[in-house]
Amino acid sequence: QKEVEQNSGPLSVPEGAIASLNCTYSDRVSQSFFWYRQYSGKSPELIMSIYSNGDKEDGRFTAQLNKASQYVSLLIRDSQPSDSATYLCAVSRYSSASKIIFGSGTRLSIRP
Amino acid sequence: EPEVTQTPSHQVTQMGQEVILRCVPISNHLYFYWYRQILGQKVEFLVSFYNNEISEKSEIFDDQFSVERPDGSNFTLKIRSTKLEDSAMYFCASSSGTVNTEAFFGQGTRLTVV
């Protein structure tokens, strides 16, 4: 069983719409959850972190966590062409002092 | 804004040669990491480092790999005898390590073994 699973995509969303990205994880003791954005050939860039059940909003981004279902999601509102990238779900057992386990990423394409 | 910096951005080496990848973590961070990403694959954990010693390593991090913090600012990854399959992007990351904080990544070093 993969530790962090994501749909590889590509997910195509029209500009201005909501993009919804999903992730499941297998390690029940995971405590920290992250969404990174990665442009082709570049390094992962942290866009959201979430540590407790529920929603966390930051600008156009909302992260949702459900530990009972072992499910994390990211919503991007008012999608822009610059949001086109691969989105990596990542999970850590304790604080970020622990290793981060990445999913394979979902490719998101925003069409004008 | 503080950032993790890595040098070089691209390294080409012959198979069997030793390479050293360098990183300068964010200055007040205490935890340091190396990850790698083979082209088209996911980001994989290699090793974490705290208080001048390895705190965790993956099965990828075998005897060919070593890490060092030689001077209190740099954090290095050495590959002793490179193999073709070591070709990848290598990312350094650092974290303050306090509860519920994030790890920030450098821009990466692209290692090409020929």
Side-chain angles (χ1 to χ4, degrees):
Chain A
Q1 182 187 13
K2 289 183 184 176
E3 292 180 89
V4 180
E5 288 207 56
Q6 296 180 254
N7 187 322
S8 63
L11 174 66
S12 181
V13 171
E15 184 175 355
I18 295 175
S20 177
L21 304 163
N22 305 312
C23 169
T24 58
Y25 60 95
S26 61
D27 189 348
R28 286 194 169 274
V29 301
S30 298
Q31 298 289 327
S32 303
F33 307 88
F34 310 98
W35 284 98
Y36 285 83
R37 177 174 62 198
Q38 187 175 34
Y39 294 112
S40 181
K42 302 296 185 184
S43 64
E45 174 193 7
L46 180 70
I47 54 173
M48 287 289 286
S49 59
I50 186 165
Y51 305 98
S52 54
N53 282 328
D55 295 0
K56 179 182 177 184
E57 187 174 318
D58 184 0
R60 295 187 296 113
F61 300 98
T62 298
Q64 300 172 315
L65 173 62
N66 184 326
K67 288 186 180 179
S69 301
Q70 295 174 243
Y71 176 85
V72 195
S73 68
L74 179 71
L75 300 177
I76 306 174
R77 287 180 298 282
D78 188 23
S79 297
Q80 303 297 310
S82 58
D83 294 327
S84 296
T86 297
Y87 287 80
L88 309 178
C89 175
V91 170
S92 177
R93 266 199 160 194
Y94 306 111
S95 71
S96 62
S98 305
K99 66 182 179 185
I100 296 173
I101 303 298
F102 284 86
S104 298
T106 298
R107 276 191 300 133
L108 175 65
S109 176
I110 307 300
R111 56 183 191 271
Chain B
E1 187 174 320
E3 60 179 16
V4 178
T5 57
Q6 292 185 242
T7 55
S9 57
H10 191 187
Q11 174 93 43
V12 181
T13 188
Q14 288 201 323
M15 193 168 51
Q17 295 296 302
E18 175 184 285
V19 293
I20 297 176
L21 310 183
R22 291 182 166 81
C23 168
V24 179
I26 293 172
S27 63
N28 63 344
H29 283 187
L30 301 176
Y31 292 82
F32 315 115
Y33 313 85
W34 284 100
Y35 291 80
R36 80 171 185 190
Q37 187 175 32
I38 295 170
L39 186 65
Q41 297 187 24
K42 66 179 182 180
V43 178
E44 300 175 290
F45 169 77
L46 292 178
V47 65
S48 58
F49 191 86
Y50 169 71
N51 200 25
N52 281 321
E53 61 182 28
I54 290 173
S55 48
E56 190 172 4
K57 61 183 180 179
S58 72
E59 62 276 8
I60 301 169
F61 194 89
D62 61 21
D63 292 345
Q64 292 299 310
F65 291 89
S66 62
V67 290
E68 194 177 36
R69 188 156 161 82
D71 58 11
S73 61
N74 290 285
F75 179 50
T76 63
L77 174 70
K78 182 193 291 186
I79 309 174
R80 260 179 272 284
S81 177
T82 50
K83 304 189 266 290
L84 294 176
E85 54 265 37
D86 293 326
S87 295
M89 281 288 282
Y90 287 80
F91 297 112
C92 174
S94 71
S95 164
S96 66
T98 53
V99 175
N100 292 350
T101 61
E102 303 91 356
F104 296 92
F105 283 72
Q107 80 279 19
T109 293
R110 179 172 298 283
L111 176 66
T112 303
V113 182
V114 297

